[in-house]
Amino acid sequence: MTPPGPTPLIAPSILAADFARLADAAAAVDDKADWLHVDVMDNHFVPNLTIGLPVVTSLRKATGLPLDCHLMIDDPDRWAPPYAEQGAHNVTFHVEAAADPAGTARAIRSAGALAGLAIKPGTPLEPYLDLLRGFDTLLVMTVEPGFGGQAFRTDVLPKVREARRRVQSGHLRLHIEVDGGIDADTIEAAAEAGADVFVAGSAVYGADDPATAIDALRARAAVG
Ligand code: DX5
Ligand code: ZN
């Protein structure tokens, strides 16, 4: 008998919400979402600029949802731990931008959050398999980071599969998160490959009813 798969977690991304009404965006999903995904972009690591620490501090007070901060920024070694200090549940930074990813993960964990490592579509997983033993989350980008509304890339799914295999064999113990282009049509392939945390921006906040959209995603993820 196949062991039961991990319980899927759905993380709506407020990148697709109205930035003037972030508290309302959180409230619209607070009884359905597992995590609230917060995309921090600095216009250096990616060619887009979004929000930063003060907004996370305010969001923390505005919602009880666990904040899943995805830092698409340069110098995460310096800037990531404060997100944990401000009460983020999970703080993910990009390996491509970090000088000391292991040390930064330790600092995030010491400040009380889960530590996540993100890899861009073109970044291989293999060199980081041992490093990932010091992390709680692996974020496999399923689009090039920087913008919402892009098409899901199936070519990155082998990395999700390999990570799941390492979790099943006991080498790693972490969430495997996918981010970018996740909707009711693509979530099943990501779940089947072994992802257990699903970020969805447009598919949730672009829907007439964000809460119903989450139900639909969850139902599809469960068959993976
Ligand atoms: C892209 C961000 C994503 C984005 C996903 O760089 O990391 O979290 O919000 O948006 P959708 O779900 O619209 O692809
Ligand atoms: Zn993201």
Side-chain angles (χ1 to χ4, degrees):
M1 208 175 93
T2 333
T7 308
L9 302 180
I10 308 293
S13 168
I14 56 167
L15 184 64
D18 180 346
F19 271 24
R21 298 175 195 279
L22 290 180
D24 294 343
V29 298
D30 69 356
D31 58 349
K32 294 285 184 182
D34 298 290
W35 294 356
L36 191 67
H37 188 80
V38 181
D39 287 306
V40 174
M41 305 186 191
D42 67 351
N43 199 30
H44 287 268
F45 181 70
V46 289
N48 196 3
L49 184 65
T50 55
I51 57 180
L53 196 56
V55 176
V56 168
T57 304
S58 296
L59 268 177
R60 178 68 284 148
K61 294 179 211 147
T63 179
L65 281 170
L67 300 183
D68 176 32
C69 295
H70 175 197
L71 308 185
M72 287 159 275
I73 60 172
D74 279 346
D75 202 5
D77 308 280
R78 175 172 175 194
W79 298 112
Y83 285 84
E85 286 154 20
Q86 288 304 312
H89 176 67
N90 182 73
V91 180
T92 292
F93 60 91
H94 274 263
V95 73
E96 302 89 353
D100 177 19
T104 300
R106 281 194 297 274
I108 289 169
R109 283 173 159 182
S110 310
L114 302 181
L117 193 72
I119 53 175
K120 299 206 278 189
T123 301
L125 173 65
E126 193 70 29
Y128 306 113
L129 285 169
D130 284 331
L131 172 70
L132 280 166
R133 291 169 72 91
F135 284 80
D136 306 289
T137 308
L138 165 67
L139 174 52
V140 178
M141 288 302 300
T142 42
V143 298
E144 203 57 47
F147 298 92
Q150 303 180 71
F152 177 77
R153 288 180 54 162
T154 50
D155 61 313
V156 305
L157 290 180
K159 291 192 282 188
V160 174
R161 259 180 240 291
E162 175 62 9
R164 177 56 58 198
R165 205 176 64 75
R166 299 288 176 147
V167 170
Q168 273 162 352
S169 70
H171 176 79
L172 296 177
R173 188 185 169 89
L174 37 66
H175 288 295
I176 302 170
E177 184 169 9
V178 282
D179 182 8
I182 299 292
D183 61 23
D185 294 325
T186 58
I187 196 168
E188 218 171 300
E192 188 274 326
D196 66 317
V197 184
F198 304 88
V199 177
S202 319
V204 171
Y205 287 110
D208 290 339
D209 179 9
T212 308
I214 293 174
D215 285 340
L217 290 170
R218 196 183 301 284
R220 297 284 187 104
V223 301

